[in-house]
Amino acid sequence: MNMNTATVSMAVTPTVLSTFLSHYLNRKPLRQRPTAHLSYDEGLHLIRSFLTFASQHTVEELQAFTSQWVPHPQWVKVDQVEIPEAKLVEAAGVLQEQLGPDGIKKVGGQNWWQWRKPKSPLKAEWIEMKADYHERKKANDPGTRVMLYIHGGAYYFGSVDEHRYQMQRHARKLKARVFAPGYRLAPQFPFPCGLQDCLAAYLYLLETQDPTTIILAGDSAGGGMVMSLLVTMRDRYIPLPAGAILISPWVDLTHSFPSVSADCPLDYIPQHGFHHKPSKAWPPLNADEYALLKEQVATKTKLGSTKLMKPEPIEAKQLPQDLAQLNAGDGEGGDNSSLAETGVISITLDGKELKLKDQIQMYTTNELLSHPLVSPVMQPSLGGLPPLLIMTGGGEILRDEQIYLAHKCANPSKYPPPESSMNDVAHEQLNRYKPTDVQLQVWDDLCHVAPTLSFTRPAKYMYRSIAQFGAWALARAQKTEIEILDDDSISVISSSSSVYSSDDGTGANRNQGAGEENESAEGPKSEVGKAGDPLPPFKNHMIRQRVSRHGVITPLAAPSELPGCIMDRDEIGVVKETPVRRWLETRSQWDKRFGSVRTKIHKRRLEEMTAGYVGFDGETPPPAALASRRKAGDDLKEKKKTKSMGLALWSLWGSKHDEATVHREFGAEKPGVKFATPEGEAAHAPFDIEQQEDGAVDKDVLRNRRRSRTKTVRDENQIAETEGVSEDTPISVLMAIRQEKSRQADRPPSNGSDTLSPDYVPDTGVMGKRPTVCGIAVPFSLGKEADTASMITLTSAVDQPSRAASPTPLNPQTRAMAATSAAVVAAITDKAKDEVIDPEAVKKAGTAPTNSARASVVVYSDEIDSLWNTQAPSLAATPFTEFGDSKGFYATAPTTPLATVERASSNVERPPLESFVSAQEYLPTKK
């Protein structure tokens, strides 16, 4: 049975129906969990059923199904680009330096992983909301918010098309452009192929984007890839991005943490690992099978007599159960044989030693499972990275390694890798980098990558939190303010209810990985992720939060109560008994079920080996790599994508909330447009409905129809280094310290300060033009023409009637003298109040002025210059007064009452404005 929309639909339909019935028949056990929401319950079981059905098909079939073309909504703009070959070559050079001689030898060479299929360049997509695109183009803005998103899929399936409905939500919430590379997938292109592609995509972005405008994001395997990218960029001195967001990252491919061995009924990831129907791509030959086929080729054995295994076992390379020991090599000497070939892992199972010969993970060979670029938890140090947001589901199978990752980033010295993997270079790294600031969120009972279920309420809160952190990270890196969307008032999910959902948010049975405390426990509570809300201050480089499915935040349990944090360091990277037993049991079932298929695959492989492969001189790619089994004359071109109705429907379901929000936003200010009112305000009676149709709508309803607002996010020194702060420092004290630092930063510069030097550049606001002093935007721009009337300076002049005033230079004497308008007027004449306007112009008008209005003071530059020598001594002797507030004292010239004149007649010609105009402008105009 082929894998297509029809067969997948037939396979998952029974699950959808049974879940619907059981949801109502067994509501009580689901009440305190995310599955209390029908949409979440259906989505969770649907994904689980899909993965079970996919395991009955080959890897190639699953890859083809998930890489089909999926149309995007009309309100989303998608552009495809190709990454230049030069960036791929540059990325390859960076990885070769990062791997070093020993790492290059372990991966099997330095050339095979750079090979690509013919006419298959690295492509990527720009994803952006069309409204944001037009607004950006109208303002000629190249874009200061870019999210490089790396999709997940266990490194071997998935695509940008499949994940686009999630990326467009990130783009909409953050008003950003999402850049998503279509990297090469395992097992045909194992480690480090995908890492090279993603690094090339980042280097490509640096050609047009400042690193402070970029944030990285990834889910599952994509999250692990992001961590490897950050470490590589840190070590190779490549500019780091503003921050990174890791959604359920897969960071330990050895499966050595406790949650992988536990039961996780609330997750959809198979606990026995990923298994598939045998094919050319997977599973690869183990050492025994490879040696047998090699011997048969040499002896020209007939194809019909091919056996799966040789009667006597072939001596294969032995690997320890502690795979971390493989990382301590220095790359000198040793065995130069085929290190890329899958070896045998020795593990004690039920008191007996067992030799695991087959490759476990598709991403890489058994030897490299503990490599720091494959499993980032094995890195000597994860310090020195930009701020991170790590989101994990309390009910997922990879929970503990993600919690450990967050604490390792924030405190590298407390969570070093096993001593067996440490060498001199590793010890030096451990002491070199400062801790990384991390926001860790553990979401009660949620599954792996819960934002996949974007149509559910828990996912809505997760998207909010991602936008909040992303905006803060960008604002902090750019030292400016970021406006992000606040669509809560028009959000469909905000105004809808899930069937039989519990509103109390409490639960007696909480997953221990998320802590043992209930939401009713003592501790501050808040709501997660509202657009524009500031992040809480980092405490010991961490924001540790436990979040309910209703978005309620409570403190996360102490590290001493989290299984992932109290694990013995020497146990990290050690293959555990329970995951191996589950994997072997399922593999045995698959071998029995697909034994005949595997025999055919071996016969076909023998034919290919007899004909000969096109290899790489002196290199040994992994057995599963396509580079190790290329045949001369093979047509390896990428096939044209076809539309997938199944993925299109899934994407439509996932985009439903975004589409409804976009339409509500578009019509929020249009009269007569009706929206579903929030829960508790709906019109139930026919009379109420008639009133709404007739236009008699309550003011609160009209208020909900307004266009979605934006909120401003800024860095409030959340991660400022503070002496004397410890784990026991109360939040109130931290907030007081932060406010005091803010007051000190806003205090005006003293006479001895260098902030008024020629090289000093004041901070600017969100527009990036008007500098701020003491938190107040001054009314002029920096080195630019005045855009608005509020930016006209005291030395502005109007040279054209249709043009805003622009600055004109004055001599130093004039500039020093023109401290205030009152002082200048006093310098010109003692009768300033009677000579504000040109007297000759008033005489020509023939009308006596009246006292009905006030006029602004007009001072001519030539008068200032001519009077400087005569009036300067008296002005210099004029005493200055000073006034002050809580922030300090300021010096100012003596205050003089604003001059008033009688309004001239309407036919008086307005004198030329040579120097400046104050805010009160009632001068006579030209008739």
Side-chain angles (χ1 to χ4, degrees):
M1 182 183 296
N2 295 328
M3 189 173 184
N4 50 45
T5 300
T7 56
V8 170
S9 300
M10 289 188 295
V12 301
T13 297
T15 301
V16 173
L17 296 177
S18 62
T19 302
F20 182 82
L21 294 176
S22 64
H23 185 86
Y24 291 100
L25 296 177
N26 302 307
R27 288 181 296 174
K28 190 173 182 180
L30 305 176
R31 188 170 181 80
Q32 305 300 340
R33 299 186 181 276
T35 47
H37 304 273
L38 177 60
S39 58
Y40 184 93
D41 199 14
E42 288 280 17
L44 176 68
H45 286 85
L46 193 151
I47 297 179
R48 185 183 298 165
S49 177
F50 171 79
L51 293 177
T52 300
F53 175 74
S55 66
Q56 312 297 324
H57 295 77
T58 65
V59 168
E60 293 92 330
E61 289 179 305
L62 176 59
Q63 290 174 340
F65 181 81
T66 57
S67 64
Q68 295 180 91
W69 173 63
V70 179
H72 58 83
Q74 61 179 0
W75 35 268
V76 176
K77 179 177 176 57
V78 175
D79 293 319
Q80 193 173 82
V81 297
E82 291 186 5
I83 308 298
E85 181 68 23
K87 293 304 171 184
L88 289 168
V89 174
E90 182 180 354
V94 172
L95 283 182
Q96 289 175 11
E97 294 178 3
Q98 184 71 9
L99 288 169
D102 184 58
I104 291 176
K105 186 172 65 173
K106 287 182 178 180
V107 300
Q110 61 183 1
N111 295 317
W112 69 262
W113 45 272
Q114 300 184 48
W115 172 80
R116 313 180 70 87
K117 289 183 179 181
K119 298 182 179 180
S120 301
L122 174 58
K123 297 181 180 180
E125 280 188 4
W126 283 108
I127 303 170
E128 184 179 15
M129 304 298 291
K130 278 188 177 179
D132 295 337
Y133 168 78
H134 292 304
E135 179 181 347
R136 185 170 56 82
K137 286 301 181 182
K138 184 178 180 180
N140 198 23
D141 180 12
T144 58
R145 308 179 204 177
V146 174
M147 174 185 285
L148 173 59
Y149 194 96
I150 303 176
H151 70 80
Y155 293 107
Y156 79 96
F157 71 94
S159 65
V160 176
D161 283 87
E162 184 192 35
H163 285 73
R164 190 185 298 116
Y165 74 95
Q166 302 177 48
M167 301 176 192
Q168 70 193 28
R169 175 78 65 90
H170 294 307
R172 181 180 67 82
K173 299 288 287 186
L174 194 56
K175 294 191 69 176
R177 305 170 69 199
V178 176
F179 190 70
Y183 62 92
R184 290 170 292 173
L185 300 175
Q188 298 94 329
F189 295 95
F191 171 80
C193 296
L195 188 59
Q196 179 202 6
D197 291 351
C198 295
L199 180 57
Y202 182 78
L203 296 176
Y204 171 78
L205 284 181
L206 291 182
E207 291 291 320
T208 57
Q209 298 289 146
D210 189 274
T212 60
T213 66
I214 304 173
I215 55 175
L216 303 187
D219 63 90
S220 189
M225 192 88 79
V226 167
M227 283 303 302
S228 296
L229 281 176
L230 292 174
V231 171
T232 301
M233 291 186 287
R234 178 200 67 183
D235 295 346
R236 299 299 112 198
Y237 304 104
I238 299 174
L240 290 169
I245 299 165
L246 312 178
I247 308 170
S248 299
W250 187 17
V251 290
D252 177 31
L253 273 68
T254 65
H255 287 332
S256 59
F257 282 84
S259 59
V260 180
S261 300
D263 293 329
C264 296
L266 298 177
D267 200 8
Y268 55 76
I269 299 295
Q271 293 187 323
H272 51 68
F274 293 101
H275 297 265
H276 287 275
K277 179 181 177 180
S279 65
K280 293 174 61 176
W282 185 262
L285 299 173
N286 59 36
D288 289 351
E289 295 167 342
Y290 183 79
L292 174 61
L293 289 183
K294 190 174 181 180
E295 178 182 338
Q296 291 177 338
V297 170
T299 58
K300 297 182 180 180
T301 305
K302 294 182 179 180
L303 299 181
S305 60
T306 302
K307 299 179 181 180
L308 288 179
M309 299 295 294
K310 195 174 181 178
E312 296 181 3
I314 303 295
E315 190 66 25
K317 182 173 44 179
Q318 300 295 316
L319 300 178
Q321 185 173 352
D322 181 8
L323 297 179
Q325 299 177 15
L326 301 176
N327 297 331
D330 55 7
E332 298 179 0
D335 183 15
N336 292 325
S337 61
S338 177
L339 291 179
E341 185 178 294
T342 296
V344 177
I345 298 179
S346 298
I347 183 173
T348 302
L349 198 64
D350 297 330
K352 299 180 180 179
E353 184 179 4
L354 177 68
K355 297 184 184 297
L356 185 60
K357 301 178 180 181
D358 296 307
Q359 182 173 327
I360 300 176
Q361 306 288 4
M362 298 188 195
Y363 186 47
T364 191
T365 59
N366 293 344
E367 289 84 352
L368 293 174
L369 290 178
S370 61
H371 192 280
L373 293 180
V374 174
S375 297
V377 294
M378 303 301 298
Q379 286 285 347
S381 172
L382 290 176
L385 303 178
L388 304 177
L389 168 62
I390 300 178
M391 312 179 83
T392 180
E396 68 170 293
I397 193 172
L398 305 180
R399 176 187 63 248
D400 288 343
E401 64 192 66
Q402 297 162 10
I403 295 176
Y404 173 85
L405 175 78
H407 290 81
K408 180 181 177 68
C409 291
N411 196 346
S413 60
K414 186 177 180 180
Y415 300 95
E419 186 62 35
S420 59
S421 66
M422 299 290 286
N423 52 27
D424 294 339
V425 176
H427 283 288
E428 190 272 335
Q429 280 192 353
L430 193 59
N431 300 322
R432 183 195 311 172
Y433 301 110
K434 65 178 183 179
T436 299
D437 298 289
V438 182
Q439 180 183 9
L440 171 64
Q441 292 183 335
V442 181
W443 297 71
D444 285 346
D445 299 327
L446 290 191
C447 63
H448 183 68
V449 193
T452 301
L453 308 176
S454 63
F455 41 80
T456 64
R457 182 174 295 186
K460 178 201 69 171
Y461 291 113
M462 300 187 83
Y463 281 105
R464 276 183 174 182
S465 186
I466 291 170
Q468 180 193 32
F469 178 88
W472 169 81
L474 290 169
R476 174 181 176 270
Q478 300 174 27
K479 298 181 180 179
T480 183
E481 298 172 343
I482 295 292
E483 288 185 350
I484 61 176
L485 184 65
D486 179 19
D487 62 351
D488 189 54
S489 60
I490 60 173
S491 171
V492 176
I493 296 182
S494 299
S495 59
S496 62
S497 61
S498 295
V499 181
Y500 296 107
S501 62
S502 175
D503 293 327
D504 54 8
T506 61
N509 299 324
R510 295 291 182 186
N511 195 292
Q512 294 186 5
E516 293 290 344
E517 57 188 347
N518 293 328
E519 291 181 6
S520 59
E522 295 183 2
K525 296 181 180 180
S526 59
E527 187 175 350
V528 71
K530 282 220 174 169
D533 291 346
L535 288 181
F538 287 78
K539 189 176 180 180
N540 293 328
H541 303 282
M542 289 197 77
I543 300 175
R544 306 174 70 257
Q545 299 174 325
R546 175 185 172 189
V547 191
S548 73
R549 61 188 172 90
H550 297 285
V552 177
I553 298 176
T554 54
L556 185 65
S560 58
E561 301 179 28
L562 301 175
C565 294
I566 61 176
M567 186 175 174
D568 186 358
R569 62 178 289 197
D570 292 327
E571 289 295 318
I572 299 174
V574 178
V575 179
K576 297 301 188 293
E577 178 179 339
T578 301
V580 170
R581 178 186 290 108
R582 292 171 176 169
W583 191 88
L584 287 174
E585 290 175 352
T586 307
R587 180 60 181 272
S588 177
Q589 297 175 7
W590 254 244
D591 287 343
K592 292 179 180 178
R593 181 172 184 177
F594 300 108
S596 59
V597 176
R598 192 172 185 184
T599 300
K600 294 178 181 179
I601 297 296
H602 277 256
K603 290 180 178 179
R604 194 178 309 163
R605 181 67 63 85
L606 181 57
E607 294 177 354
E608 295 175 354
M609 292 180 66
T610 303
Y613 291 127
V614 179
F616 295 86
D617 294 339
E619 296 191 356
T620 54
L626 187 59
S628 67
R629 47 188 176 86
R630 291 183 302 158
K631 296 186 298 181
D634 263 359
D635 184 14
L636 299 175
K637 295 180 182 179
E638 295 284 352
K639 297 181 180 180
K640 185 177 180 180
K641 292 183 178 181
T642 58
K643 181 179 178 180
S644 172
M645 290 300 300
L647 291 180
L649 291 174
W650 176 261
S651 177
L652 181 63
W653 192 13
S655 304
K656 186 177 180 181
H657 167 67
D658 295 283
E659 182 178 9
T661 303
V662 168
H663 285 306
R664 290 160 71 95
E665 181 181 3
F666 179 76
E669 293 180 349
K670 292 185 176 182
V673 178
K674 301 180 178 63
F675 299 110
T677 53
E679 184 178 1
E681 300 179 9
H684 298 287
F687 173 74
D688 295 335
I689 297 176
E690 292 176 359
Q691 278 191 326
Q692 289 192 14
E693 292 177 350
D694 294 337
V697 187
D698 187 72
K699 293 182 179 180
D700 293 335
V701 178
L702 288 175
R703 195 176 297 116
N704 289 329
R705 293 181 181 178
R706 293 175 182 174
R707 186 178 300 277
S708 61
R709 300 174 176 87
T710 59
K711 289 189 177 180
T712 302
V713 179
R714 62 179 62 86
D715 179 30
E716 300 181 3
N717 299 320
Q718 280 91 342
I719 62 175
E721 296 291 341
T722 305
E723 296 182 1
V725 175
S726 64
E727 294 183 356
D728 300 326
T729 304
I731 295 295
S732 58
V733 175
L734 294 175
M735 295 295 294
I737 294 175
R738 189 176 69 183
Q739 293 173 359
E740 177 62 24
K741 285 194 172 186
S742 178
R743 285 194 295 266
Q744 293 178 0
D746 290 340
R747 191 164 295 161
S750 60
N751 294 333
S753 174
D754 60 351
T755 54
L756 294 181
S757 63
D759 298 330
Y760 170 68
V761 178
D763 292 335
T764 57
V766 66
M767 296 300 295
K769 298 177 181 178
R770 297 174 59 177
T772 57
V773 177
C774 302
I776 302 176
V778 298
F780 55 84
S781 58
L782 291 176
K784 296 185 178 181
E785 295 288 335
D787 292 340
T788 62
S790 63
M791 293 185 182
I792 299 177
T793 69
L794 297 180
T795 58
S796 299
V798 176
D799 53 2
Q800 299 178 20
S802 60
R803 181 168 168 262
S806 59
T808 58
L810 297 177
N811 59 48
Q813 294 176 338
T814 304
R815 187 180 297 108
M817 187 176 179
T820 63
S821 61
V824 176
V825 172
I828 296 175
T829 176
D830 293 334
K831 300 179 181 180
K833 61 181 181 179
D834 298 325
E835 300 176 2
V836 175
I837 62 175
D838 189 355
E840 296 297 327
V842 178
K843 292 179 180 180
K844 292 179 180 180
T847 305
T850 63
N851 294 324
S852 60
R854 294 167 61 90
S856 294
V857 180
V858 179
V859 183
Y860 301 97
S861 299
D862 54 350
E863 294 180 355
I864 297 176
D865 295 338
S866 64
L867 291 173
W868 170 256
N869 293 328
T870 59
Q871 300 292 338
S874 61
L875 284 174
T878 303
F880 279 70
T881 61
E882 59 181 15
F883 63 96
D885 56 12
S886 60
K887 295 185 178 180
F889 291 90
Y890 312 91
T892 181
T895 57
T896 302
L898 196 67
T900 60
V901 298
E902 297 176 346
R903 181 177 297 276
S905 62
S906 58
N907 61 347
V908 175
E909 185 173 319
R910 178 176 179 172
L913 187 57
E914 298 281 347
S915 183
F916 68 88
V917 181
S918 69
Q920 295 178 342
E921 186 175 350
Y922 293 103
L923 295 178
T925 57
K926 190 173 182 179
K927 188 71 176 175

